[in-house]
Amino acid sequence: MLIVPFHPDHLGEALIQGSTFIPMQDQARFLNVTAYTGDTSIAFTAYGHSKILGMGGFIEIYPHFVEAWVIIATKDTRLNQRIGRNIIKMYRKIIDSHPKWQRIQAAVRKDFDKAIRLIEILGFENEGLMRNFGPDKSDYYRYAMVRNGPN
């Protein structure tokens, strides 16, 4: 598995591979968010056998507050377990190296049990249900990790 810095072109590349992870109407919005972040955010893409396996990162909202995101682009369950382990290692390393981030939050689809398990392993706490939140009006949970940081 090769990890490289995320570029918005990776999303289109994953879609060409046949991945379906964002409804068509929301791809442009997602690209605008990732392009907006500039140097204030961190994101990466995982490749395996010349195909995108997944992407993820942190979008800085304020200097103390980031939104975490992950997209798994492969349906190979053996690879998904390996990707999950790598996400945990990488996210913990990034979070530990950014003590100024006092709030790290993520939205997780209510019916995505594997993602819920992953985010809870990372130490995030469920803050509640957000009804009709998703682009398809699906329900999501708001997860957050709140910690003390430098003032």
Side-chain angles (χ1 to χ4, degrees):
M1 185 178 312
L2 173 67
I3 307 290
V4 300
F6 173 80
H7 187 277
D9 290 347
H10 296 166
L11 181 62
E13 187 177 335
L15 291 167
I16 289 169
Q17 290 174 192
S19 299
T20 54
F21 43 80
I22 295 177
M24 292 301 284
Q25 71 272 18
D26 293 312
Q27 293 167 22
R29 288 185 191 132
F30 183 79
L31 288 173
N32 286 339
V33 169
T34 58
Y36 157 79
T37 61
D39 295 333
T40 62
S41 300
I42 297 168
F44 52 87
T45 301
Y47 279 90
H49 306 291
S50 301
K51 288 193 171 190
I52 291 180
L53 304 175
M55 300 161 261
F58 301 88
I59 298 170
E60 187 173 287
I61 310 299
Y62 300 114
H64 71 282
F65 169 30
V66 294
E67 180 83 22
W69 62 276
V70 171
I71 296 172
I72 303 296
T74 180
K75 294 180 180 164
D76 184 332
T77 54
R78 291 175 296 128
L79 282 175
N80 285 347
Q81 290 176 348
R82 186 172 171 206
I83 293 168
R85 286 191 298 271
N86 283 317
I87 289 170
I88 290 167
K89 287 179 193 173
M90 183 167 273
Y91 268 56
R92 284 183 175 155
K93 182 178 179 182
I94 293 170
I95 289 169
D96 290 347
S97 67
H98 289 81
K100 72 175 186 170
W101 293 348
Q102 294 177 24
R103 180 179 177 84
I104 305 162
Q105 69 178 30
V108 179
R109 194 175 163 117
K110 180 183 174 186
D111 60 357
F112 195 179
D113 295 334
K114 290 179 182 177
I116 291 170
R117 192 165 50 248
L118 177 66
I119 197 113
E120 289 177 351
I121 288 170
L122 284 166
F124 285 69
E125 294 181 24
N126 186 334
E127 291 189 329
L129 180 65
M130 300 183 297
R131 292 195 293 271
N132 295 324
F133 179 80
D136 59 351
K137 298 183 181 176
S138 56
D139 295 343
Y140 278 68
Y141 289 118
R142 169 61 71 204
Y143 275 85
M145 176 188 295
V146 180
R147 58 196 189 149
N148 294 327
N151 292 327

